[in-house]
Amino acid sequence: MSLFRLDASILPATSASRALGDIVEAEWTAAHPDRGVVRRDLATAPIPATAWPAAVTAKFTPEADRSPEQVEAVALATRLADELISADALLFTVPLYNFGVSQHVKTWFDLAYTDPRIDPQGTALQGKPAVLATVLGGNYGEGTPKEGWDHSTGWLERVFADVWGLDLRVVTRPFTLVGVNPALDAFSDLAADLKQQAEESARAHGRDIASAA
């Protein structure tokens, strides 16, 4: 039994999303101390942007005629899918960057998605317990001035839960730039409350996937 963990923050030492992931992982490890954690860090080892088109075009190329780039891309896609399929539970830590999905995560997803076991007809991930921990520098929730500017969380929920069929839990922490951006100083108390709520949610979700797995 293992936990697969994907991290995407480009600032590992100060990452709020990784901090939430650490809480989830700690709950998993407490429940399964003899089980491993398989890690893929997209900041330190990003997926090449050229891999996805190479893997896609390989589908329409006879195996004997594939270029070295196509062969390598298909092999990498298989490894990415294997990591997901072999795990008993999944953890994704993904920050919001520039109001959209992290380019590292999008590239990773696109390549993994070329594997037929987890494409639209595949069912290998159906029902697998998972946690998405995502953080937002500001606050884009209902009633805020920038409501609807978060174009990452909804997409991630759609592809993880609806496309891959994961049994997904989501923990979100807004206002991570409070204390960094002076323009947000007025929200210090709210940010502290939201941080505490997110950490409590992460602990609960960690226990949940440990039990479900």
Side-chain angles (χ1 to χ4, degrees), residues 171-197:
V171 53
T172 304
R173 180 190 161 194
F175 273 150
T176 59
L177 287 180
V178 171
V180 178
N181 183 348
L184 300 176
D185 285 351
F187 302 103
S188 296
D189 291 342
L190 175 58
D193 289 342
L194 293 172
K195 179 177 183 289
Q196 181 178 353
Q197 292 172 24

Side-chain angles (χ1 to χ4, degrees), residues 7 22 77 83 87 89 91 97-98 101 109 161 168 175 177 185-186 204 206:
D7 291 300
D22 290 344
E83 290 173 348
L91 168 60
Y97 286 143
N98 299 323
V101 181
F109 175 86
L168 185 68
F175 273 150
L177 287 180
D185 285 351

Side-chain angles (χ1 to χ4, degrees), residues 5-9 11-27 39 91-95 131-135 171 173 176 195 198-203:
R5 174 170 174 170
L6 180 92
D7 291 300
S9 171
L11 300 171
T14 58
S15 170
S17 59
R18 290 173 189 254
L20 287 178
D22 290 344
I23 294 172
V24 175
E25 181 181 329
E27 294 295 335
R39 306 179 190 279
L91 168 60
F92 310 100
T93 75
V94 184
V131 174
L132 166 64
T134 186
V135 301
V171 53
R173 180 190 161 194
T176 59
K195 179 177 183 289
E199 290 172 348
E200 292 173 354
S201 181
R203 278 188 284 272

Side-chain angles (χ1 to χ4, degrees), residues 7-8 12 16 25 29 35 46 55 57 61 66 69-70 87 89 92 100 130 132 150 155 157 168 184 193 200 212:
D7 291 300
E25 181 181 329
T29 302
R35 307 301 183 183
T57 56
T61 305
R66 291 176 180 173
E69 292 77 14
Q70 288 175 319
F92 310 100
L132 166 64
D150 172 9
W155 184 87
E157 290 177 327
L168 185 68
L184 300 176
D193 289 342
E200 292 173 354

